[in-house]
Amino acid sequence: GDGGGGGGGGGHKSKKQHRQARKEAAARSPCGVDVLRLWVATADWTSDVALGDAVLERAREVYRRLRNACRFCLGNLSDFDPEADALPVERMRLADRHMLHLLAEHSSRVRESYSTRQLHRVVGSTLALATERLSAEYFDSTKDRLYCGDADGDSRRAVQTVLHAALDALLLSIGPITPFLAEEVHEHRGAQRPPPPVERVWED
């Protein structure tokens, strides 16, 4: 071991090695640890629990959709510093404000579902947020503002402010169920990223 000595670098190295070992273990699993955890979270334990290729494929699809939503947010936040660039709500368009309202409603539902240990509702709500509210609606309707407008203009910064909040909501929602995905996404956030999801709590 590293011993109990004062070498701070050794502890950092050990933590890094441990994280890498967990990632390699996840990669060796034919389904992936996060996919299996999604299957467990969505299983109905009040009756016989099904397991098979079709069931695991559904869990894989949930994983892919969650990951894709996170990827879109990440890809459009590379030049966004929340401290300097976040736009106040009063300078946002109605669509942006509405999305922030939906994120707040989602966070409230997820907190309640975790408190009552209804993990299937956490997954269902987060999947609906990722695929319906974000990917199919907000992402699609804001692409022109992200890619064609002034890089530092209010319109683009408003969308980025919402995407930053959306990514936070997604990571806090799925972190306890898909920790590898949450950690992977968090590590790709910018220098001004918040603390890792595992170290945070829901904010009212």
Side-chain angles (χ1 to χ4, degrees):
D2 292 320
H12 176 71
K13 183 178 179 182
S14 175
K15 186 177 179 181
K16 203 170 179 183
Q17 289 174 336
H18 179 62
R19 186 163 60 233
Q20 185 60 33
R22 285 190 292 138
K23 286 183 179 178
E24 290 173 359
R28 283 196 298 270
S29 169
C31 299
V33 174
D34 278 351
V35 171
L36 291 176
R37 290 172 68 96
L38 278 169
W39 163 66
V40 171
T42 54
D44 179 6
W45 298 100
T46 62
S47 60
D48 292 339
V49 177
L51 177 61
D53 290 343
V55 173
L56 291 177
E57 184 53 40
R58 284 197 293 272
R60 288 190 193 95
E61 183 60 23
V62 171
Y63 177 87
R64 281 192 290 267
R65 292 185 179 193
L66 293 174
R67 192 169 188 271
N68 285 342
C70 291
R71 182 188 298 172
F72 183 92
C73 292
L74 278 177
N76 287 287
L77 290 172
S78 58
D79 66 337
F80 180 77
D81 177 351
E83 295 293 328
D85 302 324
L87 212 65
V89 174
E90 56 268 20
R91 287 167 59 187
M92 291 183 176
R93 297 184 185 184
L94 184 60
D96 304 320
R97 299 184 192 193
H98 179 61
M99 191 66 239
L100 288 177
H101 175 70
L102 294 177
L103 290 175
E105 286 187 332
H106 165 78
S107 297
S108 179
R109 280 195 302 272
V110 168
R111 283 199 301 269
E112 175 63 24
S113 297
Y114 270 123
S115 70
T116 54
R117 291 168 175 73
Q118 298 186 75
L119 299 186
H120 65 287
R121 289 191 175 180
V122 174
V123 176
S125 294
T126 309
L127 181 63
L129 173 68
T131 59
E132 298 169 18
R133 299 302 190 182
L134 288 171
S135 296
E137 296 177 5
Y138 190 74
F139 292 172
D140 195 54
S141 67
T142 57
K143 285 180 180 177
D144 284 349
R145 296 165 63 191
L146 285 169
Y147 305 139
C148 303
D150 180 1
D152 295 316
D154 277 6
S155 181
R156 183 167 181 269
R157 291 305 191 195
V159 177
Q160 288 182 308
T161 302
V162 174
L163 294 183
H164 178 77
L167 188 57
D168 254 11
L170 289 169
L171 293 183
L172 285 170
S173 299
I174 64 175
I177 297 173
T178 58
F180 290 104
L181 175 59
E183 183 177 8
E184 175 192 5
V185 173
H186 177 77
E187 288 179 353
H188 284 85
R189 298 188 83 170
Q192 303 302 319
R193 63 191 176 196
V198 70
E199 297 177 10
R200 300 172 62 194
V201 295
W202 288 101
E203 299 175 0
D204 293 324

